[in-house]
Amino acid sequence: MRIVLVGPPGAGKGTQAAFLAKNLSIPHISTGDLFRANISQGTELGRRAKVFMDAGDLVPDEITIGMAKDRMEQPDAVNGFLLDGFPRNVSQAAALDTMLQESGMKLDAVLDLEVEEDEVVKRIAGRRTCRNDGKHVFHVTYAPPKAEGVCDICGGELYLRDDDSEATVRNRLDVYHSQTEPIIDFYKAQGLLVTIPALGEVHEITKRAMEALKK
Ligand code: AMP
């Protein structure tokens, strides 16, 4: 299966993507995680991306599309993948279509995680991410770690992502509305869009998404 997850920052894309990818036995490909890995490894790509990420802006397409394509071409992704955070604008969506067409493939579904803006701000402000692995994510009230500031999974330090600060979150939401939301219509026109209400228990939302995919 080839699936795209969309939704505003704080909709729980990373959390849902991890569960869905595991259930479907396909790799979870997050461009945000790839950028953060490049930043922590000190690569040139990471250095270039960080400026945009810290401001809550999109990293330019000429950096992002190549990085996403390289990842999708890895051997573990030949039979499918779940994209989390890519595409994030219409030109990335068009580039993905072209890339898939060239290899005789197509997307199976686009899941749109729908959540209200107030909830999004609450979720992001309380989010704490593990420095060792960006996929280990907690929330001070909704999913607190057993020991404050310490990752339950690996013992790493939990921190507030630089781009989760309030000012940056506002800009990320503006960017979402102006640049990412148009891809919802793009995929609706292709008959691929499935909207999943993303309020409630994490496992309940995963169940909704899995049921939608079965159809
Ligand atoms: P995320 O972890 O998906 O919230 O992404 C964190 C940040 O990485 C975003 O706010 C962007 O600055 C950058 N980013 C991630 N994916 C993309 C993308 N597809 N296009 C441009 N920038 C991206």
Side-chain angles (χ1 to χ4, degrees), residues 9 52-57 117 121 124-125 160-176:
F52 297 94
M53 291 172 75
D54 285 351
D57 290 326
E117 196 136 326
V121 175
I124 296 184
L160 179 72
R161 266 168 47 180
D162 292 345
D163 62 341
D164 279 350
S165 71
E166 205 181 319
T168 310
V169 166
R170 287 226 179 83
N171 188 42
R172 285 166 68 201
L173 282 168
D174 287 347
V175 166
Y176 179 76

Side-chain angles (χ1 to χ4, degrees), residues 8-10 13-14 30-36 39 49-61 63-65 67-68 84-89 92 124 127 134 161 163-164 168 172 175 179-180:
K13 289 192 300 296
S30 154
T31 40
D33 284 349
L34 292 173
F35 285 132
R36 282 184 288 277
I39 292 171
K50 190 174 189 316
V51 185
F52 297 94
M53 291 172 75
D54 285 351
D57 290 326
L58 293 188
V59 178
D61 287 351
I63 303 175
T64 307
I65 293 171
M67 180 186 74
D84 158 16
F86 182 88
R88 244 180 168 97
N89 60 26
Q92 291 179 10
I124 296 184
R127 179 154 73 181
R161 266 168 47 180
D163 62 341
D164 279 350
T168 310
R172 285 166 68 201
V175 166
Q179 300 192 50
T180 308

Side-chain angles (χ1 to χ4, degrees), residues 111-152:
L111 301 180
D112 173 25
L113 294 182
E114 200 177 52
V115 53
E116 281 172 20
E117 196 136 326
D118 284 355
E119 178 63 19
V120 156
V121 175
K122 267 193 250 161
R123 286 189 191 186
I124 296 184
R127 179 154 73 181
R128 296 294 179 271
T129 304
C130 176
R131 280 207 194 274
N132 288 345
D133 187 334
K135 290 191 170 54
H136 301 166
V137 183
F138 298 82
H139 189 282
V140 289
T141 29
Y142 301 147
K146 290 195 185 87
E148 197 186 316
V150 182
C151 175
D152 284 0

Side-chain angles (χ1 to χ4, degrees), residues 173-191:
L173 282 168
D174 287 347
V175 166
Y176 179 76
H177 292 312
S178 61
Q179 300 192 50
T180 308
E181 257 175 7
I183 71 174
I184 291 177
D185 285 336
F186 178 92
Y187 286 127
K188 208 184 266 173
Q190 295 186 12

